[in-house]
Amino acid sequence: AARAGIGRPVSMHMLRNSYATHQLEAGIAVSAVQQLMGHGSIRTTGRYAHVARHQMPGSPIDDLDI
């Protein structure tokens, strides 16, 4: 945390929350994040969705090299 310039205390729980939030921001389905996090309820995972900055997913056409 010090090398990254993070001044506040960092815990494993904070890293876990950040991981879940970033997965949702990357477009991973909430159900997949639920499995990755080991949550028994989708409602638990849904809490991260409220924190994540939602972006519209790109079109598969955007990935074509034309």
Side-chain angles (χ1 to χ4, degrees):
R3 286 192 338 211
I6 301 171
R8 58 190 260 197
V10 176
S11 66
M12 288 304 296
H13 186 73
M14 181 186 293
L15 294 174
R16 180 178 160 85
N17 289 347
S18 295
Y19 173 77
T21 301
H22 288 296
Q23 293 300 303
L24 292 171
E25 288 175 344
I28 305 299
V30 175
S31 57
V33 175
Q34 176 189 8
Q35 285 186 310
L36 288 169
M37 300 298 289
H39 293 156
S41 169
I42 196 77
R43 295 181 78 184
T44 304
T45 312
R47 294 179 190 159
Y48 298 109
H50 296 291
V51 177
R53 286 179 250 142
H54 295 285
Q55 301 170 357
M56 288 294 288
S59 166
I61 295 172
D62 295 336
D63 295 332
L64 295 176
D65 188 24
I66 2 179

PDB file of all heavy atoms in Angstrom, residues 7-20:
ATOM      1  N   GLY A   7      -2.603   5.953   1.253  1.00  0.00           N
ATOM      2  CA  GLY A   7      -2.353   6.433   2.607  1.00  0.00           C
ATOM      3  C   GLY A   7      -3.181   5.771   3.682  1.00  0.00           C
ATOM      4  O   GLY A   7      -2.783   5.716   4.833  1.00  0.00           O
ATOM      5  N   ARG A   8      -4.343   5.249   3.317  1.00  0.00           N
ATOM      6  CA  ARG A   8      -5.203   4.646   4.339  1.00  0.00           C
ATOM      7  C   ARG A   8      -4.876   3.167   4.517  1.00  0.00           C
ATOM      8  O   ARG A   8      -4.278   2.551   3.625  1.00  0.00           O
ATOM      9  CB  ARG A   8      -6.664   4.847   3.987  1.00  0.00           C
ATOM     10  CG  ARG A   8      -7.070   4.277   2.657  1.00  0.00           C
ATOM     11  CD  ARG A   8      -8.449   4.719   2.269  1.00  0.00           C
ATOM     12  NE  ARG A   8      -9.401   3.666   2.563  1.00  0.00           N
ATOM     13  CZ  ARG A   8     -10.609   3.607   2.055  1.00  0.00           C
ATOM     14  NH1 ARG A   8     -11.018   4.547   1.248  1.00  0.00           N
ATOM     15  NH2 ARG A   8     -11.411   2.615   2.352  1.00  0.00           N
ATOM     16  N   PRO A   9      -5.267   2.590   5.630  1.00  0.00           N
ATOM     17  CA  PRO A   9      -4.988   1.171   5.858  1.00  0.00           C
ATOM     18  C   PRO A   9      -5.670   0.292   4.810  1.00  0.00           C
ATOM     19  O   PRO A   9      -6.789   0.568   4.380  1.00  0.00           O
ATOM     20  CB  PRO A   9      -5.590   0.901   7.242  1.00  0.00           C
ATOM     21  CG  PRO A   9      -5.729   2.233   7.880  1.00  0.00           C
ATOM     22  CD  PRO A   9      -5.922   3.219   6.774  1.00  0.00           C
ATOM     23  N   VAL A  10      -4.988  -0.752   4.392  1.00  0.00           N
ATOM     24  CA  VAL A  10      -5.513  -1.681   3.394  1.00  0.00           C
ATOM     25  C   VAL A  10      -5.628  -3.056   4.031  1.00  0.00           C
ATOM     26  O   VAL A  10      -4.704  -3.527   4.683  1.00  0.00           O
ATOM     27  CB  VAL A  10      -4.573  -1.748   2.161  1.00  0.00           C
ATOM     28  CG1 VAL A  10      -5.068  -2.776   1.164  1.00  0.00           C
ATOM     29  CG2 VAL A  10      -4.462  -0.383   1.508  1.00  0.00           C
ATOM     30  N   SER A  11      -6.785  -3.672   3.826  1.00  0.00           N
ATOM     31  CA  SER A  11      -7.006  -5.010   4.378  1.00  0.00           C
ATOM     32  C   SER A  11      -7.309  -5.989   3.241  1.00  0.00           C
ATOM     33  O   SER A  11      -7.595  -5.590   2.114  1.00  0.00           O
ATOM     34  CB  SER A  11      -8.199  -4.983   5.342  1.00  0.00           C
ATOM     35  OG  SER A  11      -9.397  -4.710   4.620  1.00  0.00           O
ATOM     36  N   MET A  12      -7.262  -7.264   3.548  1.00  0.00           N
ATOM     37  CA  MET A  12      -7.610  -8.281   2.560  1.00  0.00           C
ATOM     38  C   MET A  12      -9.066  -8.123   2.128  1.00  0.00           C
ATOM     39  O   MET A  12      -9.410  -8.335   0.977  1.00  0.00           O
ATOM     40  CB  MET A  12      -7.374  -9.689   3.112  1.00  0.00           C
ATOM     41  CG  MET A  12      -5.908 -10.050   3.233  1.00  0.00           C
ATOM     42  SD  MET A  12      -5.001  -9.887   1.676  1.00  0.00           S
ATOM     43  CE  MET A  12      -5.787 -11.118   0.665  1.00  0.00           C
ATOM     44  N   HIS A  13      -9.936  -7.722   3.058  1.00  0.00           N
ATOM     45  CA  HIS A  13     -11.343  -7.518   2.736  1.00  0.00           C
ATOM     46  C   HIS A  13     -11.496  -6.402   1.700  1.00  0.00           C
ATOM     47  O   HIS A  13     -12.295  -6.518   0.761  1.00  0.00           O
ATOM     48  CB  HIS A  13     -12.120  -7.179   4.017  1.00  0.00           C
ATOM     49  CG  HIS A  13     -13.594  -7.085   3.808  1.00  0.00           C
ATOM     50  ND1 HIS A  13     -14.385  -8.184   3.601  1.00  0.00           N
ATOM     51  CD2 HIS A  13     -14.421  -6.018   3.770  1.00  0.00           C
ATOM     52  CE1 HIS A  13     -15.627  -7.794   3.442  1.00  0.00           C
ATOM     53  NE2 HIS A  13     -15.677  -6.485   3.541  1.00  0.00           N
ATOM     54  N   MET A  14     -10.708  -5.344   1.842  1.00  0.00           N
ATOM     55  CA  MET A  14     -10.751  -4.243   0.887  1.00  0.00           C
ATOM     56  C   MET A  14     -10.289  -4.714  -0.491  1.00  0.00           C
ATOM     57  O   MET A  14     -10.888  -4.362  -1.515  1.00  0.00           O
ATOM     58  CB  MET A  14      -9.863  -3.088   1.363  1.00  0.00           C
ATOM     59  CG  MET A  14      -9.871  -1.886   0.438  1.00  0.00           C
ATOM     60  SD  MET A  14      -8.680  -0.614   0.923  1.00  0.00           S
ATOM     61  CE  MET A  14      -9.394  -0.066   2.449  1.00  0.00           C
ATOM     62  N   LEU A  15      -9.247  -5.526  -0.532  1.00  0.00           N
ATOM     63  CA  LEU A  15      -8.757  -6.050  -1.804  1.00  0.00           C
ATOM     64  C   LEU A  15      -9.797  -6.956  -2.455  1.00  0.00           C
ATOM     65  O   LEU A  15      -9.995  -6.925  -3.668  1.00  0.00           O
ATOM     66  CB  LEU A  15      -7.448  -6.807  -1.597  1.00  0.00           C
ATOM     67  CG  LEU A  15      -6.263  -5.953  -1.148  1.00  0.00           C
ATOM     68  CD1 LEU A  15      -5.066  -6.835  -0.829  1.00  0.00           C
ATOM     69  CD2 LEU A  15      -5.915  -4.915  -2.187  1.00  0.00           C
ATOM     70  N   ARG A  16     -10.468  -7.752  -1.653  1.00  0.00           N
ATOM     71  CA  ARG A  16     -11.518  -8.641  -2.147  1.00  0.00           C
ATOM     72  C   ARG A  16     -12.671  -7.827  -2.748  1.00  0.00           C
ATOM     73  O   ARG A  16     -13.170  -8.143  -3.822  1.00  0.00           O
ATOM     74  CB  ARG A  16     -11.997  -9.507  -0.982  1.00  0.00           C
ATOM     75  CG  ARG A  16     -13.080 -10.484  -1.296  1.00  0.00           C
ATOM     76  CD  ARG A  16     -13.394 -11.304  -0.029  1.00  0.00           C
ATOM     77  NE  ARG A  16     -14.685 -11.927  -0.089  1.00  0.00           N
ATOM     78  CZ  ARG A  16     -14.924 -13.089  -0.663  1.00  0.00           C
ATOM     79  NH1 ARG A  16     -13.933 -13.753  -1.221  1.00  0.00           N
ATOM     80  NH2 ARG A  16     -16.128 -13.597  -0.684  1.00  0.00           N
ATOM     81  N   ASN A  17     -13.076  -6.770  -2.047  1.00  0.00           N
ATOM     82  CA  ASN A  17     -14.145  -5.907  -2.551  1.00  0.00           C
ATOM     83  C   ASN A  17     -13.732  -5.234  -3.855  1.00  0.00           C
ATOM     84  O   ASN A  17     -14.531  -5.133  -4.788  1.00  0.00           O
ATOM     85  CB  ASN A  17     -14.508  -4.837  -1.521  1.00  0.00           C
ATOM     86  CG  ASN A  17     -15.225  -5.396  -0.323  1.00  0.00           C
ATOM     87  OD1 ASN A  17     -15.681  -6.533  -0.327  1.00  0.00           O
ATOM     88  ND2 ASN A  17     -15.319  -4.613   0.726  1.00  0.00           N
ATOM     89  N   SER A  18     -12.498  -4.772  -3.919  1.00  0.00           N
ATOM     90  CA  SER A  18     -12.004  -4.125  -5.130  1.00  0.00           C
ATOM     91  C   SER A  18     -11.996  -5.096  -6.297  1.00  0.00           C
ATOM     92  O   SER A  18     -12.368  -4.746  -7.421  1.00  0.00           O
ATOM     93  CB  SER A  18     -10.587  -3.578  -4.914  1.00  0.00           C
ATOM     94  OG  SER A  18     -10.601  -2.560  -3.951  1.00  0.00           O
ATOM     95  N   TYR A  19     -11.585  -6.324  -6.035  1.00  0.00           N
ATOM     96  CA  TYR A  19     -11.559  -7.355  -7.082  1.00  0.00           C
ATOM     97  C   TYR A  19     -12.957  -7.563  -7.649  1.00  0.00           C
ATOM     98  O   TYR A  19     -13.153  -7.556  -8.865  1.00  0.00           O
ATOM     99  CB  TYR A  19     -11.003  -8.667  -6.509  1.00  0.00           C
ATOM    100  CG  TYR A  19     -11.106  -9.822  -7.459  1.00  0.00           C
ATOM    101  CD1 TYR A  19     -10.214  -9.950  -8.518  1.00  0.00           C
ATOM    102  CD2 TYR A  19     -12.100 -10.781  -7.318  1.00  0.00           C
ATOM    103  CE1 TYR A  19     -10.309 -11.011  -9.409  1.00  0.00           C
ATOM    104  CE2 TYR A  19     -12.201 -11.843  -8.200  1.00  0.00           C
ATOM    105  CZ  TYR A  19     -11.305 -11.952  -9.240  1.00  0.00           C
ATOM    106  OH  TYR A  19     -11.401 -12.993 -10.122  1.00  0.00           O
ATOM    107  N   ALA A  20     -13.937  -7.739  -6.786  1.00  0.00           N
ATOM    108  CA  ALA A  20     -15.308  -7.980  -7.239  1.00  0.00           C
ATOM    109  C   ALA A  20     -15.833  -6.788  -8.037  1.00  0.00           C
ATOM    110  O   ALA A  20     -16.457  -6.964  -9.093  1.00  0.00           O
ATOM    111  CB  ALA A  20     -16.218  -8.262  -6.046  1.00  0.00           C
TER     112      ALA A  20
END
